[in-house]
């Protein structure tokens, strides 16, 4: 009797030999080797995969994984000021409790009847984000903000039938790369300059670039570099006068205190849900959202699923279902549907739904305030350090601030390395990404930071920059 | 008490039904769910909030999120979770093509640890040696499984992996300076195998199945040309039929200078049995959330781990994970200086916690265990296949009498003709017994389809229960067709009136729209 | 879609119903749920297992535990959990006297941390400074709340706390050399207030309520004597009536040299409002799993934190937690050299994780918050009381027109006379709407009782929903009494035939007995 | 308007002033102060409790608690050999998953209809433990092993109407104390000696002490000190010849390889469930169990609840309910019921049920084997260290071994302190508890220990005892 394999494995009920043999018999075979009859002999893998022996017991597996993962230093044990698209916010315990409910965690493609709860929770997620951005339509979560932005751009391209898109230069390099790839080969992307003094969009450059081929202008507010774009009415006018779509990217944690871009004319809003109740997870917490008005021309351009309410055959009862399913590549049109649809980041939509519910309007307002106070305080305090300039761009900022290091031989990387000795994760190095800002780094401040933390950063930075003997 | 009579069918099943209102209806103004840390006193005194916010950006529109106490929030979402038929509570056979298998809880515990959740993606490599080691090793194991030379974990789903593969194809031919605009696929490959390449500007050419269900070789031969950029295919396809001649297909493409891209989202029947490389593919991807057991999370976060042969490495999105001489791991942005690199597919480093769970799963099985997974997945499927086919109203097109790999697309066409009960009716009725049931992607090339995929994790008893229930329901279709057609009866709601879902005047995509429609 | 018509009553509720077999029925010989680490090779080679085990002790009887794969085990218990109406999914008003309030999830996260779960109780004090600090401080806060001088967290439930109090009484009089064998309590105190002292050898003397529901003062006066060891009482009692003259009672006992023991299991209406010490009690206890919000866990683990006045400290079970001059905490075994000390009530250091959760709860409220808890608990109860009493079929004996504290024992005697529908019928019918409903301890001194306790955590809307449902069901009792009497209809099972439960020939206390009965 | 209190608290929905005032109005009051009218003025507390201000945000609370709890050193980061009634075993992830399911975690006193799952799970728990000990009746979990032992003894006392109970001297001091208090004043307890050479019960002393007043003899197997009591048939005969009850305490983790005491005549079996899937929790994981045959005379003596199956009015259906409820003090007889009943440790019964299910017969066997191999290996290895004697009691042992330190000035406490420098938690000090064993400590070995761990202990112990310079 052939014995290759791992018998009686806890994850594989039918790996028991006796059961296996009975089943084999049922289908007229006598060994597992006889399965896969369709695979030609030459394609059968005859080697042994170089994969270590199993940790057979759960206990040993746990020891193994824990040992490796303890080699990480995390942002709870250290003081972290990295942001740049993935931010350290407080995740309420209830968000974790709900996303870890086995029923949600392991659901997938069930129908609306057996997955009623899943459908309702997504309808609610859509509705809650819709409220936050004051739009009517929100899709189930997409991969991340860059993906949401890229799809927004493609939507505008399809709607307007125009092939050029303008993007504010104040955008993360990697987001730009993702958009570029996603829009290639159909869309030409042109960057619009910003004013290095104020951080604001160069309206002249915008005007110079906009023309009848421009499908949309995309900018972010608060911007990637953290400051606020205040010329919103002007921008909106320029874009709409050109019959282009205005796409605005937004950090949802700002929307308790900031007006939604809808208010200044955005046609499509996108952003990342990660700040709303999702752990950073080394970047695995990203999830994009998109929002529009309830106009057929927009709705029919969404590639992903949209859940809607509908009555049932029972008077007074309602349920939830897929809206305009045939839009998607899951529908009859396949590749003629809108882009493509697949597994994205649904669970984080649930987290965001729970988060917005538990925070409520007051929580979101307090969150925004706490953040803006903290970052302004940090801006003021860090600026006091010899060799640090935080006022390069003088417009108001929200969560992130740009710190320029002056009169030092050290690179940002070296400075950060020294900060680590103080258990501090310093700001993201912008030296290559935004060379025009000089030797600079971007620090992020959220509600997890206290005055004490910011002073700690200040003191450490001061030591690193100004005390030579310092390690 | 008398002996309990067990039926193999959950005749008394009823799903938890809470009649739970839409969350906005639960708002009680004044209630709070959680408090945010207050602004520190000193900081508050230093600034006036009005000076920090530009007037024109300051929120004036009231934010009408619900106001709810913490326990009410919890209760709401707990109830909704009970109304969801996740794999943890269910026999997962009815979501064919989705490879919904058991996701071990221990792996979740690993992922919930702070050493995973509280890592910022831009932390210095030195501070994330643990997760880098995991991803590096997982990459290595994926190579062992596939024969490829380098994996990227950026694509965060199978469809995004397909898009990434199409992007790699684009990069490759841009680099070569060749203009090729056609991609060939098949009707039984996943819709994304057509849709994602189409997004990247490719013309999609479908190969129809021959009488065996294999992609028609002759048709394929005449489709392949110098315009063929690539061939995208799943094998086995949704039918569970493995194309025995696959190598001839890839060779043909290569002869014409094209690339071969293997959709191995569901490689569940093939681990340790046959490798992508050996069948002539230039790249492939694995859905970690399918074959590698990480939970589906209602639809992500996920990973479509994408591997390529040596010559294609330079086009991969950046970074990849590598190891220095001194044994430290790092994110390598410099592995390629090709200006034709795809650049970036997803922000940061992919969904690291999914890689962690997949790694743990692989380590709990080893090479032997992976092999067992595939063998048992195929055993389960063929056992089920045999039992299903014993029923005269159930059929499965193609290669009669031969094995399938890990799934089968059945048809109940004759049954529907006889009873008027459709696959959609059966689907709804199966829910009354707590079971999923999936028909097929659109369009239904196989009429009145059912797609079942047992994977390796149900037991024989589970499979028997599924089949018995299905036959019971089908029998009901003869005896009491109305019961089946009007199902579900034990779910949270009854049949939807679906028209509004396609009617832009009436669809309700958010609570805002509902309120507007009802002047609330 | 039309406007949704919301009823305040969950008319469509149905509990999850899985028809899940008894776990033994799921056994599939050969399946494994988990593997144990293998014996290390070297060790295995050193010994022969037969030499390590005496022949006469070696297991020969086959161990017929079920054999199940991991996912089937998970599925089984997940399903059973869905069939359980925990507070997380429910409006908790119907478990009167149990103070089932919201247990914040964050506190669970604290308790699930390794720095809690992976502590051995015999670790050196230096290595457990964190948990000792928590318990030390919680002790201090309990003292602030009660006026007592020292707490012990050993008693791991209210009833064990009562037993501990009775033991303290025993120690105290043993020390004094006094022989007293009577303990006085009341019929509306918890049954354990009688039963636990009785275990310790005391004769129980009940004081009946007077027309106000207070323990009859005159009867009490004649009961108290030199034979009175102690007076055990809850105040408010199960009726929610607070005995205004309580101080006179304790004084009387003290005059005769007895001790006064306060059952403050449910102090939920009194935090920051009035203190045990001030009412003359010598000791008291708080159920952390009730008043202090730690979850009930289907019935423990729990804590009945027991506090005493200064002179009784020396009788406390050992150890207590104290703080050294240098700020380190330690387990103090030497605080008493009384040979009459109770010794030990529960192994090790009590249920530390419950203390941790209670501590976190206190810290999330502060003194102001604890006060608010009590005020709102009493507000909710009196709001409910008012609305209930507006219904002519509902009554509550005693002190008409006056407030109750945190709960009320109602009666529907007149209603039962009119309709024949009993409180037990209503109880079963309430379950069809997803709500608990508790009658009373036995015997039913209040006829056809209902005991409701809203605590501070339901909202007004929750309370209204509870009342509306109750009135709806009571109305059904007029219109369709059979429906009520034959309830439940939407639960996992229908009415039990209860005789077998009291019939030793037929009761089935385990699967073994079931099998025997059915010759399996 | 009065403002004392904490308004809009997330845990207290009706702490909102507006709602509060409406509710107050409904009952004819105008402020919260007017509540509690029954409490006499003199009893109203007028001071302010000295309790710190609340950590209002969950985030700050978390920081606070984590900071304190990080002052603990745990047995996962250190190598622990403490046992003595609370043992470090591996807890399968599924046990945690299930006991942390909100529905179980927060259920309590519901009836069998709405808490069907809870009732079934306890019936299963009873049945699983019954299988393990080969008895028919098991109660819902009691507080801990000492409590289970104490109640077993009281059961025997009631059944036999005899007032004396014999207990083997090899018992933990604290268990003895708990039993003593619980049985006082009704029962006289007499300790039966053991043989210091073999660790076995001194049968002569047992015979000398047994008489017609003896209700029961209680001993443990494996004993508190870890060795196996092999004279089981002799003991059983002596006890039963005297018409006394034989009560045996047992560590359930041994029962995969050891015969249950039922097989050698135990009438009542008790023990602790903590080894079966419950974390140590600084002692908060203890939970007692008791088991007997299905004889009315035993069943009717159980004080705690017992769940049983029963048919329902629907043909073929069954449910679960309380068996012989009136036995308990919750029934009509109150203090005339058996002892008293209340909240105990139900959740750990669920954990144990899940544990026994997932382990199955093979898992329990492997567990027992791994433990007995490890402890015997340790016994052999540690004995090689100069100054260590592990063979004081020469009978076979299961999980714990007694280590006697010879020729050293150090106390066990000092030795353990030095072991801590090696990140090792040494064995429990027995010096005072068992003075006849000399300067000794009890080390516990379970399946969490590997050969490497044991060698690490050996090396560390050798350093501590034999290398003077060592810190
Ligand atoms: C064969 C195949 N390819 C691709 C996909 C798409 O994967 P995803 O859902 O992760 O986007 C699937 C998913 O079911 C699939 O089965
Ligand atoms: C007033 C009172 N005393 C004592 C108890 C007993 O507490 P426990 O269930 O923790 O044993 C209770 C429990 O409901 C109670 O309400």
């Amino acid at each position: 009797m052939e014995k290759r394999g791992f018998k009686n494995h806890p994850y594989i009920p039918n790996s028991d030999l006796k059961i296996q043999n009975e089943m084999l018999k049922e289908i007229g075979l006598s060994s597992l080797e006889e399965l896969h009859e369709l695979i030609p002999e030459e394609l059968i893998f005859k080697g042994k995969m170089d994969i270590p022996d199993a940790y057979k017991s759960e206990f040993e597996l746990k020891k193994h994984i824990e040992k490796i993962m303890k080699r990480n230093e995390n942002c709870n044990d250290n003081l972290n000021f990295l942001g740049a698209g993935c931010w350290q916010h407080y995740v309420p315990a209830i968000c974790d409790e709900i996303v870890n409910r086995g029923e949600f965690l392991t659901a997938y493609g069930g129908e609306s009847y057996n997955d009623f709860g899943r459908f309702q929770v997504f309808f609610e997620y859509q509705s809650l984000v819709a409220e936050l951005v004051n739009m009517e339509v929100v899709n189930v979560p997409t991969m991340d903000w860059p993906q949401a932005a890229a799809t927004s751009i493609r939507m505008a391209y399809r709607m307007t039938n125009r092939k050029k898109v303008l993007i504010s230069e104040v955008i993360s390099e990697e987001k730009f790369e993702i958009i570029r790839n996603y829009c290639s080969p159909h869309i030409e992307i042109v960057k619009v300059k910003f004013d290095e003094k104020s951080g604001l969009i160069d309206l002249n450059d915008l005007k110079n670039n906009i023309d009848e081929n421009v499908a949309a202008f995309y900018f972010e507010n608060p911007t990637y570099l953290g400051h606020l774009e205040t010329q919103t009415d002007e921008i909106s006018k320029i874009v709409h006068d050109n019959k282009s779509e205005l796409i605005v990217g937004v950090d949802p944690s700002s929307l308790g205190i900031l007006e939604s871009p809808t208010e200044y004319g955005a046609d499509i809003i996108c952003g990342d849900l990660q700040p709303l109740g999702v752990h950073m997870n080394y970047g695995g917490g990203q999830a994009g959202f998109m929002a529009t008005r309830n106009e057929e021309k927009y709705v029919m351009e969404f590639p992903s699923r949209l859940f809607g309410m509908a009555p049932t055959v029972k008077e007074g009862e309602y349920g939830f279902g897929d809206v305009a399913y045939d839009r998607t590549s899951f529908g009859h049109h396949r590749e003629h549907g809108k882009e493509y649809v697949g597994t994205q980041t649904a669970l984080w939509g649930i987290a965001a739904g729970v988060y917005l519910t538990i925070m409520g309007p007051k929580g979101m307002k307090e969150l925004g305030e706490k953040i803006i106070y903290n970052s302004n305080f940090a801006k003021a305090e860090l600026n006091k350090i010899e060799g640090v300039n935080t006022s390069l761009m003088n417009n108001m900022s929200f969560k992130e601030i740009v710190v320029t290091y002056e009169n030092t031989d050290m690179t940002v990387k070296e400075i950060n390395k020294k900060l680590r000795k103080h258990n501090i994760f310093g700001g993201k190095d912008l030296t290559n990404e935004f060379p025009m800002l000089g030797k600079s780094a971007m620090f992020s401040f959220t509600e997890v930071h206290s005055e004490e933390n910011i002073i700690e950063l200040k003191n450490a930075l001061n030591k690193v920059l100004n005390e030579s003997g310092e390690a | 008490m008398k002996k309990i009579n067990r039926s193999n069918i959950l005749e008394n099943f009823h799903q938890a039904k809470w009649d739970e209102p839409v969350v906005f209806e639960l708002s009680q103004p004044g209630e709070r769910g959680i408090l945010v840390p207050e602004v520190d006193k000193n900081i508050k005194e230093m600034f006036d909030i009005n000076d920090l916010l530009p007037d024109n950006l300051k929120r004036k529109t009231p934010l009408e999120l619900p106001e709810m106490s913490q326990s009410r929030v919890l209760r709401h979402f707990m109830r909704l979770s009970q109304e969801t038929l996740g794999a943890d509570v269910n026999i997962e056979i009815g979501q064919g093509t989705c490879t919904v298998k058991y996701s071990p809880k221990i792996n979740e515990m690993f992922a919930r640890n702070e050493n995973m959740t509280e890592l910022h993606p831009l932390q210095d490599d030195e501070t994330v040696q643990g997760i880098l080691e995991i991803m590096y090793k997982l990459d290595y194991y994926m190579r062992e499984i596939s024969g490829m030379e380098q994996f990227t974990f950026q694509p965060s789903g199978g469809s995004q992996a397909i898009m990434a593969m199409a992007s790699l194809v684009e990069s490759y031919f841009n680099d070569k300076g060749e203009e090729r605009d056609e991609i060939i696929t098949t009707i039984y490959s996943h819709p994304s195998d057509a849709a994602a390449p189409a997004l990247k500007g490719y013309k999609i050419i479908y190969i129809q199945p021959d009488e065996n269900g294999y992609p028609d070789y002759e048709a394929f031969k005449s489709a392949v040309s110098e315009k063929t950029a690539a061939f995208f295919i799943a094998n086995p396809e949704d039918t569970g039929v493995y194309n025995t001649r696959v190598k001839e297909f890839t060779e043909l493409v290569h002869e014409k200078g094209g690339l071969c891209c293997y959709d191995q989202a569901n490689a569940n029947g093939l681990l340790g049995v046959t490798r992508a490389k050996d069948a002539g593919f230039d790249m492939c991807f694995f859905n970690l959330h399918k074959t590698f057991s990480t939970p589906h999370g209602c639809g992500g976060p996920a990973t479509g781990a994408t591997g390529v042969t040596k010559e294609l490495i330079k086009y991969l999105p950046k970074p990849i994970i590598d190891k220095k001489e001194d044994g430290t791991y790092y994110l390598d942005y410099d592995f390629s200086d090709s200006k034709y690199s795809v650049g970036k597919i997803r922000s940061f480093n992919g969904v690291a916690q999914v890689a962690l769970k997949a790694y743990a799963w692989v380590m709990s099985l080893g090479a032997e265990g992976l092999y067992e997974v595939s063998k048992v997945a195929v055993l389960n499927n063929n056992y089920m296949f045999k039992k299903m086919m014993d029923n005269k109203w159930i059929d499965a097109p193609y290669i009669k009498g031969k094995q399938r790999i890990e799934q089968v697309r059945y048809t109940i066409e004759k049954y529907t003709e006889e009873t008027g009960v459709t696959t959609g009716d059966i689907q709804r009725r199966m829910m009354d017994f707590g079971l999923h049931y999936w028909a097929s992607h659109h369009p239904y090339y196989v009429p009145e389809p059912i797609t079942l995929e047992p994977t390796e994790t149900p037991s024989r008893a589970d499979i028997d229960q599924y089949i018995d229930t299905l036959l019971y329901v089908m029998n009901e279709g003869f005896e009491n067709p109305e019961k089946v057609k009007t199902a579900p009866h034990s779910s949270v709601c009854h049949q939807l009136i679906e028209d509004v879902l396609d009617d832009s005047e009436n669809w309700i995509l958010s609570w805002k729209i509902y309120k507007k429609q009802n002047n609330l």
Side-chain angles (χ1 to χ4, degrees), chain B residues 103-213:
Chain B
S103 299
K105 288 295 163 194
I106 187 68
N107 298 351
E108 293 306 311
M109 308 277 163
F110 300 147
R112 287 175 207 170
N113 189 289
E114 281 191 353
N115 284 327
M116 180 68 253
T117 59
E118 303 310 310
L119 298 183
H120 191 283
L122 299 173
Q123 276 178 233
D124 192 282
D125 293 347
E126 284 176 25
T127 66
V128 287
Q129 284 298 301
I131 188 66
L132 291 180
E133 178 175 343
I134 297 279
M135 294 173 89
Y136 177 86
K137 289 187 169 165
L138 184 61
D139 172 4
Y140 182 81
Y141 304 150
M142 297 279 152
R143 297 186 215 174
E144 284 299 304
I145 294 168
S146 63
M148 294 293 148
E149 297 278 350
Q150 175 69 49
F151 272 76
T152 171
F153 298 115
Q154 267 185 51
S156 301
S159 303
Q160 198 174 46
I162 295 167
M163 190 276 281
M165 294 203 301
S167 303
L168 286 163
V169 170
E170 182 186 31
S171 293
Y172 174 81
F173 288 111
N174 280 346
D175 193 3
K176 292 206 131 181
E178 288 181 31
E179 285 197 13
R180 293 171 177 248
D181 65 352
E182 290 179 1
I183 276 181
I184 305 178
T185 185
T186 64
I187 59 163
Y188 290 131
S189 289
H190 191 271
S192 293
D193 287 313
L199 173 98
K200 294 297 300 178
Y202 291 103
K203 215 175 106 193
I204 304 306
I205 295 174
Y206 282 106
I207 302 302
Q208 297 297 321
D210 66 14
E211 72 287 359
N212 287 320

Side-chain angles (χ1 to χ4, degrees), chain A residues 33 36 38 76 136 181 184, chain B residues 114 170 200 244 269 371 516:
Chain A
E33 297 300 321
H36 291 98
L38 291 180
N76 204 10
E136 292 156 328
N181 179 63
S184 148
Chain B
E114 281 191 353
E170 182 186 31
K200 294 297 300 178
T244 22
Y371 179 82
K516 208 185 227 177

Side-chain angles (χ1 to χ4, degrees), chain A residues 170-189:
Chain A
V170 189
I171 183 175
S172 105
E173 190 179 342
E174 77 164 24
K175 192 182 285 153
F176 183 78
E177 283 286 288
I178 292 170
I179 295 172
R180 191 194 52 69
N181 179 63
Y182 197 77
C183 291
S184 148
H186 304 106
I187 301 169
E188 180 198 351
I189 301 176

Side-chain angles (χ1 to χ4, degrees), chain A residues 385-398:
Chain A
I385 304 170
E386 172 85 39
V388 167
N389 178 1
T390 63
S391 52
L392 192 69
M393 286 169 299
N394 55 21
N395 220 27
M396 287 172 265
S397 52
F398 172 64

Side-chain angles (χ1 to χ4, degrees), chain A residues 214-234:
Chain A
V214 169
F217 175 52
Y218 172 74
F219 77 100
E220 298 174 357
N221 204 8
T223 69
Y224 174 60
L225 298 176
H227 51 271
L228 299 175
E229 175 56 63
T230 42
Q231 314 163 104
T232 49
D233 291 339
E234 295 88 326

